[in-house]
Amino acid sequence: MAEKFDAIIVGAGPAGNAAAYTLAKAGLNILQLERGETPGTKNVQGAILYADALERIIPDFRDDAPLERHIIEQRMWILDDRSFIGSNYRSDEFNSERPNRYTILRAPFDKWFSGKVKEAGGLVICETTVTELIRDGEKVIGVRTDREGGDIYADVVILADGVNSLLATKAGFHKEIEPKNVALAVKEIHFLPEEVVESRFNIKGEEGVVIEIFGSVTHGMVGTAFLYTNRESITLGIGCMVSDFKKGNVAPYTLLEELKNHPAIAPLIEGGEMKEYAAHLIPEGGYKAVPQMYGDGWMLVGDSAGLVNAVHREGSNLAMTSGRLAAETVIALKQANKPCTAANLIRYKDAMDESFVMKDLHKYRELPGILHNNPHFFSVYPELLNRAAHTMLTVDGEDKHSKEKMIRKSFVQRRTLWGLMGDAFRMWRATR
């Protein structure tokens, strides 16, 4: 490893693979390091793939990527203990030749994406842990690994090693992530025959459904649950902020068990065989928690930079976009024969600021703080909305005008008129 590389990419998730592939495809001499036995080894869980971000990197990815189902229906459910109120959007337009979203299983998908990096000419080495960054003064010039003679040098190092990036923290690029800015999610995959999945969700062929779930299942903590249909399985999970778990005295797996037993969820997974379980951290601090993403000889991409849009449950598209833009920055500097200094790598920040990634995060910049300070959004309102629906749909001889008065009274009693107005204003301000 005496050879010096144009770039070293640490991590082989969506962000790291996007950066490595883009660089290798442009003919740069790159090395990608992954601590797992193979890319995707640590990622058994299901996930959502956003096609546009990957299509900009590999236009023909649909030809051979291991995709599960393309999503034609999005459901939004707000649960109390016994019921749910919700909405859904289903469109046959999503049954196009180039669907917009897919469900995937990360283990085979990450392995496929890494294979594309190799096909493009990138060198990928697994079972290798980067222990620290090598610096010449303030400039990063390489990485130190756990292999014998494991010092490797490059013009730039791209860190794509996940939300708890020890390398970035150790190097002082950002502080250790705060519990209020990171969620802990637990997932299970329940295997069912393909025809059962299709029957329960009213889908056929390669169609799929996603359900986003809010309400009592999080015990008033800031968090959500979710359900994805795969080809022959269902991914079910729930996540809340680590700071809330510390205060709430409830284990993540307890929440998942309660979710599985909820009368709205239990019939959907009935008879399934649970074969896979995973827990992982998700950076959900939003815009204000994003650290500086570049410096002398280094860049942060994906979860390492805190790039997750928790409002819309988007992560892989932000990760792949940041990886691509980081790579394109390096390519442009190489073509102009300019060094990867902080003064030049600022182009990466400029590109990110012009992309949907930072624009969307900026739009919702106030929301994390508002949700942390107003837990009733996850407890009181789900109960009130479900009870209101139950009241109006129960035919019992009571006139509808009286029922409406009863519903209004219940909202005012729980939140007061000023409280309701304040909540409406806070949510408007957080999403405007």
Side-chain angles (χ1 to χ4, degrees):
M1 285 297 175
E3 179 183 7
K4 181 180 178 182
F5 292 88
D6 292 321
I8 293 173
I9 302 92
V10 182
N17 284 330
Y21 178 84
T22 304
L23 290 165
K25 193 73 173 177
L28 273 66
N29 183 25
I30 66 107
L31 170 66
Q32 186 177 27
L33 299 172
E34 165 60 34
R35 62 185 176 89
E37 184 178 350
T38 61
T41 300
K42 308 184 299 299
N43 298 309
V44 300
Q45 73 271 13
I48 299 296
L49 174 72
Y50 299 88
D52 178 74
L54 182 56
E55 199 168 24
R56 292 171 187 265
I57 301 166
I58 306 176
D60 60 351
F61 78 89
R62 294 178 179 84
D63 292 346
D64 58 354
L67 308 171
E68 291 291 307
R69 292 182 178 274
H70 66 267
I71 300 166
I72 67 160
E73 182 176 344
Q74 174 83 47
R75 303 178 188 175
M76 305 289 288
W77 288 0
I78 302 175
L79 275 60
D80 68 2
D81 291 338
R82 294 180 296 173
S83 61
F84 75 87
I85 184 171
S87 64
N88 69 299
Y89 177 74
R90 181 181 180 122
S91 174
D92 193 55
E93 289 186 55
F94 290 133
N95 278 317
S96 65
E97 292 183 4
R98 306 166 77 86
N100 182 254
R101 293 187 296 164
Y102 296 87
T103 55
I104 59 171
L105 299 177
R106 282 286 303 276
F109 178 80
D110 288 359
K111 187 175 182 179
W112 167 85
F113 205 165
S114 181
K116 292 296 182 181
V117 174
K118 296 174 185 176
E119 289 177 14
L123 175 60
V124 181
I125 299 179
C126 297
E127 298 183 277
T128 302
T129 300
V130 176
T131 58
E132 63 181 308
L133 301 176
I134 302 173
R135 303 169 83 162
D136 181 6
E138 292 299 314
K139 182 175 175 58
V140 173
I141 59 173
V143 299
R144 180 158 293 141
T145 73
D146 58 354
R147 290 175 175 263
E148 184 178 352
D151 287 3
I152 314 170
Y153 298 90
D155 293 329
V156 66
V157 174
I158 299 175
L159 297 178
D161 52 336
V163 54
N164 51 345
S165 177
L166 300 179
L167 292 173
T169 303
K170 188 175 181 180
F173 299 157
H174 60 67
K175 298 179 181 178
E176 187 173 341
I177 192 166
E178 296 182 58
K180 68 177 183 178
N181 291 329
V182 62
L184 174 60
V186 289
K187 296 182 181 181
E188 289 181 350
I189 296 184
H190 295 254
F191 286 82
L192 289 162
E194 187 172 346
E195 61 272 17
V196 173
V197 174
E198 293 174 358
S199 174
R200 288 184 182 175
F201 292 90
N202 189 27
I203 51 179
K204 63 182 185 299
E206 297 179 351
E207 297 173 343
V209 172
V210 167
I211 307 176
E212 302 288 354
I213 304 163
F214 309 84
S216 62
V217 288
T218 63
H219 288 217
M221 298 186 291
V222 178
T224 58
F226 47 87
L227 184 152
Y228 310 147
T229 57
N230 305 312
R231 191 174 296 276
E232 295 182 321
S233 64
I234 292 173
T235 297
L236 182 68
I238 189 168
C240 295
M241 305 308 290
V242 171
S243 57
D244 284 348
F245 276 126
K246 291 176 66 176
K247 295 183 297 185
N249 195 31
V250 57
Y253 192 73
T254 300
L255 296 185
L256 184 56
E257 284 299 307
E258 292 178 358
L259 176 66
K260 288 157 57 177
N261 291 319
H262 192 280
I265 303 298
L268 300 179
I269 61 173
E270 183 180 1
E273 183 180 4
M274 197 279 283
K275 291 186 178 180
E276 297 180 356
Y277 170 83
H280 68 289
L281 297 174
I282 306 172
E284 294 191 357
Y287 183 83
K288 294 183 178 181
V290 174
Q292 181 164 322
M293 295 185 290
Y294 71 97
D296 275 335
W298 61 271
M299 287 184 283
L300 303 178
V301 296
D303 283 3
S304 299
L307 302 177
V308 169
N309 183 343
V311 179
H312 292 278
R313 306 297 303 173
E314 295 181 21
S316 67
N317 54 334
L318 279 67
M320 290 185 289
T321 299
S322 64
R324 173 177 62 84
L325 293 178
E328 290 175 353
T329 299
V330 175
I331 293 168
L333 293 178
K334 283 290 181 181
Q335 292 173 343
N337 198 29
K338 293 183 177 180
C340 292
T341 60
N344 290 328
L345 290 178
I346 195 174
R347 298 183 185 187
Y348 169 52
K349 177 185 181 301
D350 293 340
M352 287 290 290
D353 287 344
E354 287 300 313
S355 73
F356 77 92
V357 176
M358 299 309 294
K359 289 179 179 178
D360 284 353
L361 291 180
H362 185 266
K363 171 179 170 61
Y364 299 112
R365 63 192 180 280
E366 302 295 340
L367 191 58
I370 288 174
L371 294 179
H372 276 293
N373 295 322
N374 297 274
H376 50 271
F377 284 124
F378 294 88
S379 55
V380 174
Y381 281 111
E383 180 184 344
L384 289 172
L385 289 170
N386 276 275
R387 288 300 87 200
H390 185 82
T391 298
M392 290 303 297
L393 294 173
T394 299
V395 179
D396 54 4
E398 189 78 29
D399 67 277
K400 299 301 187 286
H401 181 69
S402 297
K403 286 177 179 284
E404 291 171 357
K405 287 178 63 177
M406 187 188 311
I407 291 170
R408 287 195 296 270
K409 183 178 179 180
S410 68
F411 273 74
V412 173
Q413 284 179 334
R414 294 293 299 274
R415 286 299 299 148
T416 76
L417 182 59
W418 285 110
L420 293 170
M421 293 173 62
D423 290 341
F425 174 75
R426 279 186 281 269
M427 291 307 294
W428 170 81
R429 186 165 63 88
T431 57
R432 69 187 189 279

